[in-house]
C-alpha cells in the first residue's frame, strides 16, 4: 500500500504567502480608501444566475452566458484547429518542396504577428466574407423565428448571434492551427526513420504510411502539448471580444459599462477563467495519467 508523501512547507513558502497576502491587502486598501471605491459584491451573483418571477425558474445572466459561450467557442475552434493543424503538420513534413514552403509560410507568418492583428485580418478578409457568401445570417434568423429551437440553442446559444459565434470560431481556429501544426509536425518527426523505411520496404504508399504507422504514434506523443494548447485557446478566446463575439470578456465589458462595478466584474471574470482552465488542466492531467498506465 502506497502512502502519500506529505508536503512540508519551507520558511520561504510562508514568506512568499505572507508577501502575497500583504500585496492583496495593500491593493484592497488603496481601492477602498484612496479611490473611495464602494464594493458591491452582493450584486455579482445576480449577474451569474437570475430568478424570473413570471416563469418561476432560474436563467443564466451575463457572466454565465459569456462563460458558456467561451466554452462553446473553445470546443468548436479546437476541433477545427486540430483538423487544420494536422493538415499543416503533415504538409510541413511532405516530400514536395512547394507544399512544405506553403505550410511553413503560413505557420511562420501567424506565429510572428501579434494575435490582435491576426484576428482583425482573418475577421475582415475571410470570416465576414465567408458568412456573407453562405448567407448565414439570413439562415440563422430563420432558425431563431422557429418555435422549437432548444437543440440549436444548446449547441450554439442565441441563434441571432450565430454568425458572430461562427466568425469567432473561424478566426480563433485559423490562428491556433499554426501552433497545433507545429506540435503535429514535431510529433511526426519524432517517429523513428527506421519505421518509415520499413513501411516503404513492404510496399506501403505515403498515405498508408502516415495513416497506419506515423500518425497513430505521433498523436499519442503530442497529446500533452495539445492539451496545453487547448487551455491556451480558452484564454486566447478573450481576444475575439474585439470583433464583438459574445464571449466572457465581451459580456464583462457590457456589465462594467452598465453597472460601473469595475473591480468586482473583472475579478469575477478572472476567477471564472481560472476555474475553467484549472479544471481542464486537472482533467487532462488525469487523462494523461490513466493513459500512461
Amino acid at each position: 500500500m502506497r502512502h502519500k508523501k506529505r508536503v512540508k512547507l519551507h520558511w520561504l513558502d510562508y514568506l512568499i504567502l505572507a508577501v502575497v497576502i500583504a500585496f492583496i491587502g495593500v491593493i484592497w486598501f488603496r481601492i477602498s480608501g484612496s479611490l473611495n471605491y464602494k464594493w458591491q459584491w452582493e450584486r455579482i451573483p445576480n449577474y451569474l444566475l437570475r430568478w424570473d418571477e413570471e416563469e418561476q425558474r432560474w436563467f443564466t445572466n451575463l457572466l454565465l452566458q459569456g462563460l458558456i459561450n467561451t466554452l462553446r467557442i473553445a470546443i468548436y475552434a479546437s476541433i477545427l484547429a486540430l483538423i487544420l493543424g494536422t493538415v499543416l503538420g503533415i504538409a510541413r513534413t511532405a516530400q514536395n518542396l512547394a507544399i512544405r514552403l506553403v505550410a511553413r509560410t503560413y505557420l511562420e507568418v501567424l506565429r510572428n504577428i501579434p494575435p490582435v492583428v491576426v484576428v482583425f485580418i482573418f475577421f475582415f478578409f475571410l470570416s465576414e466574407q465567408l458568412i456573407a457568401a453562405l448567407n448565414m445570417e439570413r439562415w440563422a434568423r430563420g432558425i431563431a423565428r422557429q418555435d422549437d429551437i432548444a437543440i440549436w440553442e444548446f449547441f450554439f446559444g442565441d441563434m441571432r448571434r450565430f454568425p458572430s459565434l461562427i466568425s469567432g470560431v473561424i478566426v480563433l481556429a485559423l490562428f491556433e492551427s499554426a501552433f497545433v501544426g507545429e506540435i503535429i509536425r514535431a510529433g511526426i518527426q519524432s517517429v523513428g526513420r527506421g519505421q518509415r523505411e520499413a513501411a516503404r520496404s513492404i510496399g506501403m504508399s505515403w498515405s498508408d504510411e502516415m495513416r497506419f504507422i506515423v500518425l497513430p504514434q505521433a498523436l499519442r506523443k503530442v497529446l500533452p502539448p495539445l492539451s496545453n494548447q487547448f487551455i491556451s485557446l480558452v484564454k486566447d478566446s478573450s481576444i475575439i471580444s474585439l470583433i464583438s463575439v459574445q464571449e466572457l470578456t465581451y459580456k464583462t465589458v457590457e456589465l462594467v459599462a452598465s453597472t460601473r462595478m469595475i473591480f468586482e466584474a473583472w475579478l469575477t471574470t478572472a476567477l471564472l477563467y481560472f476555474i475553467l482552465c484549472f479544471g481542464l488542466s486537472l482533467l487532462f492531467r488525469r487523462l494523461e495519467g490513466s493513459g500512461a498506465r
Side-chain angles (χ1 to χ4, degrees):
M1 183 177 179
R2 293 183 178 178
H3 297 279
K4 290 185 178 180
K5 187 178 180 181
R6 294 183 62 183
V7 178
K8 293 183 178 180
L9 295 178
H10 192 262
W11 66 268
L12 186 59
D13 299 319
Y14 290 107
L15 178 62
I16 294 173
L17 183 61
V19 170
V20 171
I21 293 173
F23 176 76
I24 294 172
V26 169
I27 296 298
W28 189 281
F29 174 77
R30 292 282 295 177
I31 293 171
S32 302
S34 302
L35 298 180
N36 197 25
Y37 186 80
K38 184 180 178 181
W39 296 94
Q40 303 178 67
W41 284 107
E42 69 280 358
R43 297 177 60 189
I44 288 295
N46 188 53
Y47 290 100
L48 293 168
L49 288 170
R50 64 178 177 85
W51 175 257
D52 190 289
E53 293 291 345
E54 293 182 2
E55 299 195 21
Q56 291 293 302
R57 67 190 184 96
W58 292 96
F59 284 89
T60 57
N61 210 345
L62 283 175
L63 293 177
L64 201 54
Q65 288 171 4
L67 181 65
I68 294 170
N69 265 344
T70 292
L71 194 54
R72 286 193 186 105
I73 291 167
I75 291 172
Y76 301 147
S78 64
I79 293 171
L80 184 56
L82 180 60
I83 295 171
L84 294 174
T86 302
V87 173
L88 287 168
I90 294 173
R92 283 279 280 114
T93 60
Q95 296 177 340
N96 188 291
L97 178 60
I99 294 176
R100 292 204 308 271
L101 287 177
V102 169
R104 182 167 184 177
T105 301
Y106 178 87
L107 294 173
E108 293 297 339
V109 167
L110 262 67
R111 290 171 62 203
N112 293 284
I113 293 180
V116 175
V117 178
V118 174
V119 164
F120 279 116
I121 290 174
F122 277 140
F123 177 67
F124 289 113
F125 292 99
L126 183 61
S127 180
E128 280 286 276
Q129 306 302 321
L130 181 63
I131 287 172
L134 296 176
N135 204 12
M136 201 173 290
E137 191 168 349
R138 183 179 178 183
W139 173 81
R141 286 177 180 173
I143 295 291
R145 294 191 190 100
Q146 297 177 9
D147 295 327
D148 188 16
I149 59 170
I151 188 69
W152 290 99
E153 289 184 339
F154 176 80
F155 286 104
F156 303 110
D158 186 354
M159 287 304 295
R160 293 171 299 179
R161 303 285 185 182
F162 180 78
S164 173
L165 179 78
I166 294 302
S167 292
V169 168
I170 293 173
V171 167
L172 197 58
L174 289 172
F175 173 67
E176 295 292 335
S177 64
F179 299 92
V180 174
E182 278 298 279
I183 293 172
I184 297 295
R185 189 267 310 162
I188 290 173
Q189 291 182 339
S190 69
V191 177
R193 185 180 296 272
Q195 295 188 52
R196 305 185 69 171
E197 291 175 352
R200 296 191 196 107
S201 69
I202 60 175
M204 271 192 174
S205 63
W206 181 85
S207 59
D208 287 339
E209 173 193 329
M210 295 298 297
R211 181 182 174 187
F212 296 111
I213 304 297
V214 178
L215 285 180
Q217 296 183 68
L219 289 176
R220 282 198 296 270
K221 294 180 179 181
V222 301
L223 279 179
L226 283 178
S227 300
N228 292 332
Q229 191 60 40
F230 178 72
I231 295 173
S232 296
L233 187 148
V234 173
K235 293 182 288 186
D236 290 342
S237 66
S238 61
I239 301 173
I240 60 176
S241 63
L242 297 172
I243 55 175
S244 301
V245 179
Q246 306 280 314
E247 46 76 63
L248 181 54
T249 301
Y250 186 89
K251 292 289 188 181
T252 305
V253 172
E254 284 188 342
L255 178 59
V256 170
S258 61
T259 65
R260 299 299 178 185
M261 293 191 299
I262 301 172
F263 296 105
E264 296 93 334
W266 285 114
L267 287 173
T268 303
T269 297
L271 179 62
L272 291 174
Y273 273 118
F274 174 80
I275 291 172
L276 179 57
C277 293
F278 187 66
L280 289 171
S281 177
L282 293 177
L283 174 63
F284 292 141
R285 197 179 304 167
R286 174 162 292 189
L287 291 175
E288 290 170 17
S290 61
R293 291 173 188 170

